[in-house]
Amino acid sequence: MRKTSLFEAVLPFTLLLSPFQQAFASETTAAELRKVDTVAHRGASGYAPENTIAAFDKGVDMKADYIEIDIQRSKDGKLVIIHDTKVDRTTDGTGYVKDLTLEQIRSLDAGSWKGEQFKGEKIPTFDEILDRYHGKIGILMELKSPELYPGIEEMVAQELKERNLDKPQNEKIIIQSFNFESMKKINSLLPKVPIGVLTSNRADTTEQALREFASYADYFNPSYGIVTEELVNQVHANGMKIQSWTVRSHEAAEFLLNMNVDGIITDYPDFVDPRN
Ligand code: G3P
Ligand code: CA
């Protein structure tokens, strides 16, 4: 079904309003009319320390459609939520996530680097995130560097199955990765859970590549630098949706809204939907 253009939909209404109201009304309806999903990247990470409860709660408060999380694994086999493969940038600790036990990871301060008010924020566990947010907000789950964590796909699948989140009615769960083999594996373990492939490589945008992705993925999720109208149309023609990242400016948000993508992954959910 063709989406109604912003101009067609809001023009009769906005003519009745003051200039200020007109500005607000058109801002208010832009993301909504185009039905773009707003994804709070590592939580609302422009406003709170990435991949912490503070950032994910902020994403909920800002009425994002999804939070995006990065999943890795501790030395003793617990799934934890952190972006970098080392803890150095976002905590007061040092070393690789895979070389630290859960106890060591949980003892780190993952908030102070962003501001004193976040002191004491912890690196969350995957089960903590599932239990706190499923049913409350969508969860876009990235397997970060799964090649470092053999068997992580089975562990993620198990956690979802334990909560009946492997069923089709739970539409607001997506699993994505830059590692395509890992996503093929997830697709065979969880055939009903939507899969996304991540890339910033133009070589992955050929018709042949897109057809191959479409054989196991539901989302083609590129960095916004490689997004064109033609690519969006090709992705849709292959039966996939497209969510693009990482929006950190109003210009980038506006660009992706105009490209008609299905989701915008952003550190600032209010840049996509100004009501938030
Ligand atoms: O969700 C897309 C985005 O998270 C991919 O890049 O490096 O932020 O994990 P990165
Ligand atoms: Ca990510």
Side-chain angles (χ1 to χ4, degrees):
M1 189 175 72
R2 189 178 77 90
K3 288 180 181 171
T4 311
S5 78
L6 181 63
F7 183 79
E8 288 168 328
V10 301
L11 183 62
F13 171 64
T14 54
L15 288 175
L16 301 172
L17 304 176
S18 71
F20 174 79
Q21 287 171 318
Q22 285 181 31
F24 183 74
S26 48
E27 276 187 341
T28 303
T29 51
E32 194 175 56
L33 283 171
R34 290 165 173 158
K35 293 194 177 18
V36 175
D37 279 330
T38 304
V39 183
H41 179 242
R42 311 179 195 168
S45 58
Y47 301 104
E50 65 181 59
N51 280 320
T52 64
I53 296 296
F56 298 134
D57 279 357
K58 185 77 180 164
V60 173
D61 291 348
M62 297 183 86
K63 298 186 174 57
D65 298 290
Y66 289 81
I67 50 171
E68 189 254 5
I69 67 173
D70 297 292
I71 307 172
Q72 298 191 62
R73 191 172 66 198
S74 69
K75 185 179 180 182
D76 49 348
K78 193 77 182 172
L79 299 178
V80 291
I81 307 304
I82 181 169
H83 177 271
D84 298 3
T85 54
K86 292 179 91 170
V87 299
D88 302 42
R89 180 178 60 87
T90 56
T91 76
D92 56 349
T94 179
Y96 285 96
V97 175
K98 68 179 176 54
D99 294 335
L100 299 170
T101 63
L102 180 66
E103 195 183 343
Q104 288 170 321
I105 287 172
R106 290 289 289 177
S107 73
L108 301 175
D109 175 0
S112 291
W113 70 277
K114 186 77 175 174
E116 259 313 289
Q117 70 274 34
F118 299 113
K119 186 176 165 71
E121 282 294 325
K122 304 231 172 290
I123 293 176
T125 59
F126 183 48
D127 51 13
E128 180 182 6
I129 295 302
L130 289 178
D131 292 339
R132 189 176 177 101
Y133 297 107
H134 89 74
K136 207 181 212 184
I137 189 167
I139 309 176
L140 174 60
M141 307 168 183
E142 179 180 349
L143 299 202
K144 181 58 80 188
S145 307
E147 59 280 3
L148 296 178
Y149 308 105
I152 195 170
E153 295 85 1
E154 283 83 354
M155 292 182 70
V156 167
Q158 184 58 29
E159 295 272 9
L160 296 185
K161 283 178 183 169
E162 280 169 14
R163 295 166 178 82
N164 291 323
L165 293 173
D166 56 323
K167 301 282 169 21
Q169 65 265 33
N170 298 301
E171 290 162 352
K172 292 193 72 175
I173 281 183
I174 304 166
I175 304 180
Q176 64 173 2
S177 186
F178 289 97
N179 184 320
F180 307 146
E181 290 309 311
S182 176
M183 290 303 93
K184 285 183 197 169
K185 192 170 174 186
I186 285 283
N187 185 45
S188 64
L189 292 166
L190 298 166
K192 303 199 163 150
V193 173
I195 303 293
V197 288
L198 285 164
T199 188
S200 50
N201 187 348
R202 282 200 175 81
D204 292 326
T205 65
T206 63
E207 182 53 35
Q208 192 186 346
L210 292 175
R211 213 172 310 129
E212 156 71 7
F213 291 136
S215 68
Y216 60 90
D218 307 273
Y219 287 83
F220 179 80
N221 291 351
S223 54
Y224 73 80
I226 62 169
V227 172
T228 61
E229 216 166 343
E230 190 193 352
L231 176 63
V232 174
N233 290 337
Q234 268 182 296
V235 170
H236 287 158
N238 276 282
M240 294 183 288
K241 289 187 173 180
I242 178 166
Q243 298 177 322
S244 187
W245 46 277
T246 299
V247 164
R248 297 185 173 109
S249 69
H250 288 287
E251 292 73 24
E254 191 57 31
F255 168 72
L256 287 177
L257 285 167
N258 288 332
M259 287 293 109
N260 223 12
V261 296
D262 301 291
I264 297 180
I265 301 171
T266 177
D267 293 356
Y268 302 91
D270 51 320
F271 287 9
V272 177
D273 189 336
R275 293 170 306 176
N276 300 334

